[in-house]
Amino acid sequence: MDRAGTIPMIGKLNHVAIAVPDLDAAVQTYRDVLGAAVSKPLPLPEHGVVTVFVTLPNAKIELLHPLGADSPIAGYLARNPSGGIHHVCYEVEDIRAARDRLAAEGARVLGGGEPSTGAHGKPVLFLHPKDFHGALIELEEV
Ligand code: CO
């Protein structure tokens, strides 16, 4: 096996995403109970979600709510009806280089491996949770 692990690939934690069944309630909790800065809801029809970003000093929290009939988070919320942590997002400098290196290591890149445009207008990819100890990972090029 190539010793790719000795060369840094992922950088900062960009965000932790939490799937929520009630977006208004989640916004209220983060804004009014926790006192955090909360964005307006941003519908992303191509991803089947509405997102709200909570800005913390060192990272963001992404509140995710299903949008449309076949939202990719509908199944998650069916299994976790009160919501839960859905994915973590790490920053990478070159998303295609990261993808190629991960694929060479045998990791599964979801969605055919071509980056799509994420909630910040930047290229993103998702990695199979079974290859990463049960956590769905999003990579975002920054
Ligand atoms: Co995300």
Side-chain angles (χ1 to χ4, degrees):
M1 188 165 86
D2 170 61
R3 292 317 318 143
T6 57
I7 306 160
M9 182 192 314
I10 60 169
K12 288 181 178 169
L13 175 68
N14 185 279
H15 62 269
V16 175
I18 303 175
V20 299
D22 184 336
L23 191 58
D24 291 339
V27 164
Q28 217 173 15
T29 299
Y30 274 86
R31 188 189 55 212
D32 302 339
V33 179
L34 296 174
V38 170
S39 78
K40 292 212 170 358
L42 175 67
L44 296 172
E46 70 277 23
H47 290 281
V49 292
V50 181
T51 64
V52 166
F53 277 95
V54 180
T55 303
L56 306 177
N58 61 339
K60 292 180 281 289
I61 300 296
E62 180 182 68
L63 303 175
L64 285 177
H65 187 69
L67 176 66
D70 40 43
S71 170
I73 64 165
Y76 180 89
L77 281 173
R79 292 189 302 277
N80 303 275
S82 44
I85 293 177
H86 183 264
H87 66 265
V88 294
C89 177
Y90 302 124
E91 297 181 353
V92 295
E93 278 181 19
D94 182 336
I95 202 161
R96 286 181 172 82
R99 172 200 61 196
D100 293 347
R101 202 165 117 184
L102 288 161
E105 293 279 343
R108 285 165 284 183
V109 180
L110 301 181
E114 268 315 296
S116 63
T117 302
H120 307 108
K122 302 202 171 133
V124 300
L125 279 175
F126 287 89
L127 307 175
H128 201 298
K130 287 198 172 143
D131 296 330
F132 294 93
H133 313 280
L136 176 62
I137 291 178
E138 178 181 17
L139 299 179
E140 180 175 303
E141 187 171 279
V142 293

